Amino acid sequence: MIKLIDITKFYSSGFVKTFVLRDINLDIKEGEFVTIMGPSGAGKSTLLYILGMLDAPSSGEYCFFDKKVHELREKQLTELHKNYIGFVFQSYHLIDDLTVYENLETPLLYKKVKGSERKGKVCDMLDRFHIVAKKDLFPNQLSGGQQQKVAVARALITEPKLILADEPTGNLNTKEGEEIMELFTELNEGGTTILQVTHSEKNASYGRRIINLLDGWIVDNK
């Protein structure tokens, strides 16, 4: 599903290059549940953003379902991202001036899903995440846990092949965090590929493989 070959990411300031990722070689098979771990500044989120096509590497090759991502134009990248990837951010990234219902509906509008089907999918997600009573509220009227539930529901509503989760339970209490991780496990058992970035050993244990990053290098891949 995913193949990274010698992926490097750096930022230039004058003649100085600051490396964030160095010579990353990685294979992710469809249906895997992979955890990326490492200290702050190790390059975890940058790697996730490159995998999610929200950032581009400085050099190297990225193949996604045999498509050479590094050679695609912006429009092609947008289509690939829209059709295959769901992203869960620690900071939610909900649209402040849209209700819960409208936030969930937005990805379906981008995919041009018809009205009746959109309504059915949104209602299914509201029910699945027990947030039906919150559907007409705005993000600032929700608790952190409720906002994260909405963010996860929005990532799942298009039934993506790949979910990328950046510290998905970072702002949740223990019970809410466990609910999200159990949901990821259930999705993974149904065939969805999941890559999560986390500092939590407990969350990491839900995955089947752990990749450890240090100073931009992969130091362990088991």
Side-chain angles (χ1 to χ4, degrees):
M1 182 183 201
I2 288 172
K3 188 175 186 67
L4 302 184
I5 303 171
D6 295 334
I7 291 290
T8 294
K9 179 71 177 181
F10 60 80
Y11 298 97
S12 297
S13 178
F15 295 106
V16 179
K17 287 182 180 177
T18 302
F19 283 86
V20 184
L21 295 172
R22 300 170 182 264
D23 297 330
I24 299 293
N25 291 284
L26 190 60
D27 283 293
I28 307 288
K29 294 182 176 62
E30 194 168 1
E32 280 201 89
F33 190 152
V34 178
T35 299
I36 301 170
M37 299 190 80
S40 295
K44 305 183 299 298
S45 293
T46 300
L47 177 57
L48 206 67
Y49 276 54
I50 288 173
L51 289 168
M53 304 171 203
L54 300 177
D55 197 359
S58 303
S59 63
E61 296 186 8
Y62 173 13
C63 296
F64 185 82
F65 282 117
D66 296 326
K67 287 186 170 65
K68 293 185 176 181
V69 173
H70 51 284
E71 294 180 356
L72 298 180
R73 294 190 297 275
E74 192 68 36
K75 187 176 179 181
Q76 293 171 305
L77 287 174
T78 301
E79 283 297 308
L80 210 54
H81 185 277
K82 182 172 71 178
N83 290 315
Y84 288 95
I85 298 172
F87 222 120
V88 181
F89 301 91
Q90 182 179 1
S91 52
Y92 320 131
H93 286 217
L94 298 176
I95 302 169
D96 291 336
D97 55 355
L98 297 184
T99 63
V100 167
Y101 187 101
E102 291 165 340
N103 264 283
L104 293 181
E105 188 180 34
T106 297
L108 301 175
L109 290 168
Y110 280 126
K111 289 193 76 172
K112 297 181 170 58
V113 176
K114 291 180 181 176
S116 57
E117 188 181 349
R118 275 202 319 272
K119 184 176 180 180
K121 284 179 178 289
V122 172
C123 289
D124 282 346
M125 281 295 166
L126 290 169
D127 189 47
R128 184 175 187 177
F129 284 84
H130 310 295
I131 49 176
V132 175
K134 312 291 182 186
K135 69 183 178 68
D136 295 322
L137 298 182
F138 292 91
N140 64 5
Q141 297 173 296
L142 304 175
S143 69
Q146 290 164 347
Q147 288 187 63
Q148 189 62 306
K149 281 186 176 182
V150 176
V152 173
R154 184 184 60 183
L156 302 184
I157 201 164
T158 57
E159 300 175 13
K161 296 272 189 189
L162 172 65
I163 292 173
L164 299 173
D166 192 1
E167 295 285 1
T169 67
N171 296 316
L172 307 183
N173 64 36
T174 302
K175 183 175 182 296
E176 290 169 333
E178 286 175 352
E179 286 176 3
I180 296 298
M181 294 312 301
E182 290 292 343
L183 177 67
F184 283 166
T185 301
E186 181 186 323
L187 288 165
N188 180 244
E189 288 170 352
T192 304
T193 307
I194 297 176
L195 270 76
Q196 66 163 341
V197 161
T198 184
H199 284 101
S200 165
E201 294 281 353
K202 183 178 180 182
N203 286 1
S205 69
Y206 285 88
R208 300 175 191 173
R209 176 153 65 111
I210 297 175
I211 296 164
N212 280 293
L213 288 181
L214 182 64
D215 298 330
W217 302 91
I218 290 180
V219 293
D220 197 11
N221 183 1
K222 58 188 179 184

